[in-house]
Amino acid sequence: MLSTAFESAGHKSLHSPNNNIDNKIALSNENIKYVDQYNDLKTLILDHQNILKKYDEFLSIFHPTMLLQVFVVSCSIIVFWFILLTSFMEDDFTQYMAFRSIESIFGIPFCTSQMYMSCFVFTTLNIKKDAISFALYSSNWTEMKMKYKKLILLTMRMNDAHQKKFHYTMTRTINIEIFYQTMRVCYTIVNVMLNCKK
């Protein structure tokens, strides 16, 4: 009766209609614990599947935009550093050079923080998405009943088949390493330009 009330309000019942209080009284405590654990595991796996679907939708919608954004911001950081250094390396420091250097000084932290946040978010998403596979494998699934083992095995196969990540090439993903590579390129440019001035 309570489950039909929840279903009329738009909620789905987590337990089957046959799994009522009378059936639980007839079961032993160990079987009740087993049924509850199995249902909890099933609910967690269904939630994880829904998260993977939302992740796929997110990537299908925002992949081109975010890829363009990360590319433009990384190029902007490099260009801002180049403009800043060339404005200070010139012998005649004009008002135009001062304006360009101030523009670069304000643009560098903005673009750097924007790129860092984008790369950090995608790194975190990839880590969290892969954490469920590790958690399932790290559980004591070898000591569980066959029903558990089958469900965990199917979930592991689903996670192994779902390797969709935010790629910018076939093998490289957008993550915090892209941010570090951009910073290395900026450091190289700064170093080369300072050495050329000497």
Side-chain angles (χ1 to χ4, degrees):
M1 183 170 183
L2 188 60
S3 65
T4 56
F6 275 107
E7 286 176 1
S8 67
H11 298 286
K12 300 260 183 196
S13 175
L14 296 177
H15 299 286
S16 65
N18 299 334
N19 192 12
N20 58 21
I21 294 175
D22 296 330
N23 289 345
K24 283 191 177 182
I25 292 172
L27 296 173
S28 67
N29 285 340
E30 185 178 313
N31 286 339
I32 292 173
K33 184 179 175 185
Y34 168 74
V35 168
D36 286 341
Q37 287 177 349
Y38 183 77
N39 288 334
D40 289 344
L41 178 64
K42 217 164 138 179
T43 304
L44 288 172
I45 290 170
L46 288 174
D47 288 343
H48 181 65
Q49 286 176 338
N50 289 333
I51 289 171
L52 289 178
K53 286 178 189 173
K54 295 291 182 187
Y55 182 73
D56 289 342
E57 289 175 14
F58 174 77
L59 285 182
S60 66
I61 293 170
F62 292 109
H63 186 269
T65 330
M66 291 301 295
L67 189 61
L68 182 66
Q69 189 254 352
V70 167
F71 176 73
V72 167
V73 168
S74 64
C75 289
S76 298
I77 293 170
I78 295 168
V79 168
F80 279 143
W81 274 108
F82 182 77
I83 290 171
L84 182 67
L85 289 174
T86 54
S87 66
F88 285 117
M89 292 176 83
E90 295 291 324
D91 292 332
D92 53 342
F93 192 74
T94 62
Q95 189 174 10
Y96 177 74
M97 292 291 200
F99 175 72
R100 287 289 174 206
S101 63
I102 289 173
E103 188 180 66
S104 297
I105 288 171
F106 286 114
I108 290 171
F110 175 74
C111 289
T112 304
S113 63
Q114 191 176 13
M115 185 173 179
Y116 177 78
M117 286 306 296
S118 299
C119 293
F120 179 76
V121 164
F122 285 112
T123 300
T124 306
L125 283 174
N126 290 336
I127 289 171
K128 297 291 182 184
K129 189 176 79 69
D130 294 338
I132 190 73
S133 298
F134 182 71
L136 283 172
Y137 189 74
S138 299
S139 66
N140 59 348
W141 61 274
T142 55
E143 300 170 3
M144 295 180 180
K145 294 184 179 181
M146 189 55 76
K147 198 173 183 181
Y148 268 113
K149 289 179 184 179
K150 285 181 182 178
L151 185 62
I152 289 176
L153 178 66
L154 290 173
T155 305
M156 286 180 178
R157 285 185 179 172
M158 177 197 69
N159 287 334
D160 288 341
H162 187 274
Q163 293 296 325
K164 195 166 189 179
K165 293 185 178 181
F166 188 54
H167 292 283
Y168 68 95
T169 65
M170 290 300 219
T171 56
R172 312 237 4 204
T173 60
I174 298 285
N175 52 19
I176 205 74
E177 291 175 21
I178 300 301
F179 175 75
Y180 294 141
Q181 287 176 357
T182 304
M183 292 299 111
R184 272 189 230 117
V185 169
C186 291
Y187 175 74
T188 304
I189 289 173
V190 168
N191 202 9
V192 166
M193 290 186 75
L194 289 176
N195 287 337
C196 287
K197 187 176 181 184
K198 294 176 184 180

